[in-house]
Amino acid sequence: MRLERAELRRLDLPLRTPFRTSLGLELRRDILLVRVVTSEGEGWGECVALPEPGYSEEYLDGAAEVIRRFLLPAVAVLDDLTPARVASALACIPGNPMAKATVEMALMDAWLRARGVSFADYLGGVRGEVECGVSVGIADSIGDLLAEVAGYVDEGYRRFKLKVEPGWDVEPVRAVRERFGDVVLQVDANAAYTLGHARLLAELDNFDLVMLEQPLPTADLRDHAALARRLRTPICLDESITSARSAVDAIALGACAIVNIKAGRVGGYLEARRIHDVCAAHGIPVWCGGMLETGLGQAANLALAALPGFTLPADIAPSRRYFSEDVTPMITMGDGLIAVPRGPGLGLDPEPEIMERFTTDVATLTEF
Ligand code: MG
């Protein structure tokens, strides 16, 4: 397979409910989709970078520039492209995992569509449906939080994840646990604490949480291991796990008992699968995180979450959790489950009319 053309498409898709980023900014869901045209057909990739750096160093305009100037030219020189060859073709460019994952996803989609194989079958999925959890942001008050969680309980989500930060941790978690009884509950700190908060974080042991996700800064694996020795609540790593290699290190240090896998954070779906494999070999459960993707990105995530080691509910939501209209047919949830797409490639096609209506810019590349 050869890359012949590419299209970088930007969309401004309104979010149904405001979502506050780690920089405190309210998020418009500015989206970058990459459509590749190859010698064997077309494919779509979605970039999960947010408009500004915060979750990690990457941000959307930067990722678009890297994809256009460096990544697409690096794969365009190959005339025997396969999904497995993409990462090695891009390895000469350090970092930029979200940009790299976008290019891999688009080429994998094209390659699999041409062969009539689904993402799930290619990655090794064994499950027809994925259990869905919901991620709940910092609320203005505990009353607002309880009202929001009540809505998600009614919608049938299987697990509830509360974002926490210093000043918004023990009391909101206590309130949700007391109000909603034995729901499956976990918290995510997005690296907001230090080891000096260990005593405070140990208070969360009272609430029977499935996990405490990424309590400490990304690079602090030894501190996570030290914290893990002081808590009963299992520690899950998200931002710290950037590759299968880093997963091996974290597990060997005792820094985590659970791993959140996001293909964008680790450079693509094949590296994500390797992390799943490493964790499975060590008996570490994994689950699929989310970055407010459109239906295209969610389709790929559903395929990943169908792998056997993904034994905890995913941050994969029905389209209506984020958007009134999605760029694919709306993904729906029934009884807290979403079906894994079975068609070739991503198994979902963009809706051209909706895509056009929300597009703000298209750059077509024919020479690399
Ligand atoms: Mg997280």
Side-chain angles (χ1 to χ4, degrees):
M1 185 173 84
R2 261 179 302 100
L3 176 63
E4 294 178 342
R5 273 189 297 131
E7 181 184 284
L8 273 65
R9 181 178 286 262
R10 295 290 283 268
L11 296 92
D12 185 356
L13 211 53
L15 285 170
R16 286 187 69 211
T17 49
F19 189 93
R20 196 154 56 89
T21 72
S22 52
L23 291 187
L25 302 173
E26 202 161 288
L27 191 64
R28 279 170 47 237
R29 196 62 181 106
D30 184 2
I31 287 164
L32 169 64
L33 300 178
V34 173
R35 172 174 160 260
V36 293
V37 179
T38 75
S39 53
E40 298 186 11
E42 297 182 10
W44 289 90
E46 175 168 348
C47 185
V48 300
L50 299 175
E52 66 280 335
Y55 171 80
S56 71
E57 299 89 334
E58 284 184 284
Y59 66 104
L60 205 59
D61 287 340
E65 171 91 352
V66 168
I67 289 169
R68 183 178 62 77
R69 286 185 57 197
F70 304 110
L71 304 186
L72 291 173
V75 291
V77 298
L78 300 180
D79 51 17
D80 55 354
L81 262 175
T82 64
R85 287 182 179 135
V86 175
S88 62
L90 303 181
C92 55
I93 299 152
N96 299 286
M98 294 177 180
K100 289 177 177 175
T102 311
V103 172
E104 186 205 72
M105 177 179 162
L107 291 166
M108 191 182 295
D109 185 34
W111 195 81
L112 292 174
R113 282 180 197 264
R115 284 157 182 78
V117 176
S118 70
F119 257 61
D121 282 342
Y122 180 67
L123 293 173
V126 295
R127 221 174 259 121
E129 293 173 312
V130 168
E131 279 194 297
C132 301
V134 66
S135 177
V136 187
I138 310 280
D140 289 335
S141 69
I142 287 183
D144 287 356
L145 175 70
L146 294 175
E148 188 178 349
V149 173
Y152 299 137
V153 170
D154 288 345
E155 288 178 53
Y157 286 98
R158 299 269 179 120
R159 176 275 279 156
F160 305 86
K161 177 172 103 171
L162 308 183
K163 294 282 186 179
V164 292
E165 64 184 17
W168 181 266
D169 38 45
V170 174
E171 291 317 314
V173 173
R174 184 197 312 279
V176 170
R177 178 54 87 207
E178 285 177 356
R179 171 70 66 88
F180 299 101
D182 59 357
V183 295
V184 178
L185 192 61
Q186 63 195 54
V187 296
D188 183 4
N190 286 107
Y193 295 87
T194 68
L195 192 54
H197 292 101
R199 188 174 302 203
L200 168 74
L201 293 171
E203 291 183 48
L204 295 172
D205 283 343
N206 295 319
F207 306 116
D208 194 23
L209 301 177
V210 178
M211 69 188 81
L212 164 58
E213 180 180 349
Q214 195 69 45
L216 310 180
T218 303
D220 296 356
L221 284 185
R222 285 196 303 170
D223 281 0
H224 276 103
L227 181 63
R229 290 192 289 274
R230 296 176 60 175
L231 302 185
R232 284 198 314 277
T233 306
I235 289 185
C236 168
L237 289 178
D238 173 354
E239 288 91 330
S240 291
I241 305 298
T242 55
S243 63
R245 175 66 205 224
S246 67
V248 170
D249 288 347
I251 293 166
L253 279 168
C256 63
I258 298 170
V259 171
N260 167 341
I261 301 183
K262 294 173 179 164
R265 191 190 69 226
V266 304
Y269 283 88
L270 294 181
E271 187 68 13
R273 184 177 66 184
R274 277 190 283 276
I275 295 172
H276 159 274
D277 294 347
V278 160
C279 290
H282 287 84
I284 299 283
V286 301
W287 57 284
C288 184
M291 297 288 287
L292 290 84
E293 290 93 339
T294 73
L296 293 169
Q298 297 239 72
N301 287 345
L302 285 162
L304 182 68
L307 268 66
F310 283 79
T311 54
L312 296 164
D315 267 352
I316 299 176
S319 300
R320 62 184 299 278
R321 162 88 176 97
Y322 304 128
F323 309 115
S324 297
E325 293 180 281
D326 204 335
V327 299
T328 61
M330 297 290 275
I331 291 177
T332 57
M333 177 174 78
D335 194 25
L337 300 167
I338 296 181
V340 177
R342 306 305 311 182
L346 293 169
L348 284 181
D349 292 314
E351 300 270 17
E353 185 275 325
I354 294 174
M355 187 82 90
E356 286 305 324
R357 190 145 42 87
F358 292 108
T359 292
T360 54
D361 185 61
V362 183
T364 303
L365 309 172
T366 52
E367 290 179 22
F368 301 99

